[in-house]
């Protein structure tokens, strides 16, 4: 359909991106996936923003694979065939996801060895402890995971959707309520011209072919800057 999918890698860098043609499944068309934060800075018609995770678990394996390829190739500069790989999984990960991950690492990347560790356990080890209670609050989910002697007690995990994304939405609501006369307009929709005397004329543009997912992403990015 002429559209492309873009997924960020989580770091603020420039001139660091990679295009990947993902292989389609039986029911989907071939997608051109562009990975890298530079691509997110420039609006393109029909460009969609997709996230490989949903509720903290991988749901789109094409995107996840593209991110890993990008990380190994552009970030680490390694050949995965030459290095054992440590992968970190959420403590509430499913057996299906773990098996799918293992299949990709050995069959796609042909790594010589793989170790999958739970994030809460590694957090405890990083603090020099084998047991503890790990509270992890991310974008989509907050979890409390008890760890005993290097093992995450999965049946005792507590999860909540009150996390970063929910707080951003609440911040936006509070901002719009308190300052109803101040519109929140992402920078890609504006241009400014110096008219002298330290003043600028600002023009607001409307791009009807901007995909809603991209508009939402840039709006969240602006709200995060305001919040900080």
């Amino acid at each position: 359909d002429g559209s492309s999918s873009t997924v960020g890698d989580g770091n603020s860098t420039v001139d660091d991106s990679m295009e990947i043609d993902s292989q389609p499944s039986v029911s989907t068309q071939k997608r051109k996936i562009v990975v890298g934060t530079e691509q997110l800075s420039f609006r393109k018609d029909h460009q969609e923003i997709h996230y490989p995770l949903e509720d903290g678990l991988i749901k789109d394996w094409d995107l996840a694979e593209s991110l890993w390829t990008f990380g190994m190739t552009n970030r680490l500069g390694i050949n995965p065939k030459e290095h054992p790989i440590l992968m970190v999984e959420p403590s509430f990960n499913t057996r299906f996801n773990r098996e799918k991950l293992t299949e990709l690492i050995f069959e796609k990347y042909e790594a010589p060895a793989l170790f999958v560790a739970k994030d809460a356990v590694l957090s405890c080890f990083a603090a020099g402890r084998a047991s503890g209670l790990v509270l992890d609050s991310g974008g989509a989910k907050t979890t409390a995971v008890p760890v005993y002697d290097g093992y995450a007690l999965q049946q005792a995990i507590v999860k909540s959707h009150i996390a970063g994304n929910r707080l951003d939405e609440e911040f936006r609501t509070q901002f719009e309520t308190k300052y109803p006369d101040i519109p929140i307009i992402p920078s890609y929709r504006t241009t400014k011209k110096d008219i002298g005397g330290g003043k600028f004329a600002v023009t607001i543009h409307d791009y009807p072919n901007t995909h809603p997912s991209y508009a939402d992403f840039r709006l969240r990015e602006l709200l995060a800057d305001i919040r900080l």
Side-chain angles (χ1 to χ4, degrees):
D1 59 0
S3 64
S4 63
S5 301
T6 303
V7 55
D9 64 352
N11 294 312
S12 298
T13 60
V14 296
D15 198 22
D16 193 1
S17 61
M18 177 174 61
E19 292 189 2
I20 300 172
D21 288 329
S22 65
Q23 296 299 320
S25 63
V26 175
S27 60
T28 61
Q29 296 180 345
K30 188 174 184 179
R31 297 186 298 177
K32 182 177 75 173
I33 300 175
V34 182
V35 183
T37 49
E38 182 197 24
Q39 297 295 330
L40 303 179
S41 301
F42 302 98
R43 190 204 66 84
K44 300 181 182 69
D45 287 348
H46 308 296
Q47 176 176 259
E48 300 179 35
I49 304 293
H50 289 278
Y51 303 93
L53 302 181
E54 182 179 316
D55 289 334
L57 298 177
I58 296 176
K59 295 299 181 182
D60 191 322
W61 287 92
D62 285 342
L63 294 186
E65 183 180 330
S66 298
L67 278 173
W68 293 330
T69 300
F70 176 82
M72 294 178 190
T73 303
N74 286 46
R75 295 298 190 193
L76 299 177
I78 65 168
N79 181 353
K81 296 180 181 180
E82 301 173 352
H83 300 273
I85 294 179
L86 168 66
M87 298 294 286
V88 183
E89 66 173 1
S91 299
F92 51 88
N93 199 21
T94 64
R95 179 175 180 177
F96 171 82
N97 277 18
R98 189 177 302 109
E99 291 176 349
K100 179 69 173 179
L101 167 65
T102 304
E103 176 185 328
L104 276 174
I105 294 300
F106 285 121
E107 296 187 4
K108 165 73 176 181
Y109 297 106
E110 300 181 28
L114 168 69
F115 187 83
V116 182
K118 298 192 179 300
D119 52 4
V121 174
L122 293 183
S123 294
C124 276
F125 288 166
R129 297 178 180 274
S131 302
L133 180 63
V134 179
L135 180 66
D136 183 6
S137 185
K141 190 179 295 293
T142 296
T143 59
V145 182
V147 177
Y148 180 74
D149 200 20
Y151 291 92
L153 306 181
Q154 291 186 277
Q155 294 185 356
I157 294 175
V158 177
K159 296 181 288 185
S160 172
H161 288 286
I162 300 178
N165 294 342
R166 175 73 176 274
L167 295 178
D168 283 343
E169 293 172 3
E170 181 63 25
F171 173 76
R172 177 182 179 181
T173 300
Q174 294 292 335
F175 184 92
E176 291 176 338
T177 301
K178 188 174 182 179
Y179 305 103
D181 298 328
I182 302 178
I184 305 176
I185 303 175
S187 60
Y188 78 90
R189 290 189 55 202
T190 65
T191 56
K192 62 180 181 180
K193 180 180 179 181
D194 190 350
I195 58 177
K199 297 182 179 180
F200 295 88
V202 178
T203 303
I204 299 176
H205 304 277
D206 185 23
Y207 298 106
N209 292 328
T210 301
H211 195 273
S213 64
Y214 182 82
D216 181 69
F217 171 81
R218 293 300 300 270
L219 182 60
R220 288 177 179 272
E221 187 178 54
L222 177 59
L223 288 170
D225 289 341
I226 297 174
R227 174 168 46 80
L228 295 175

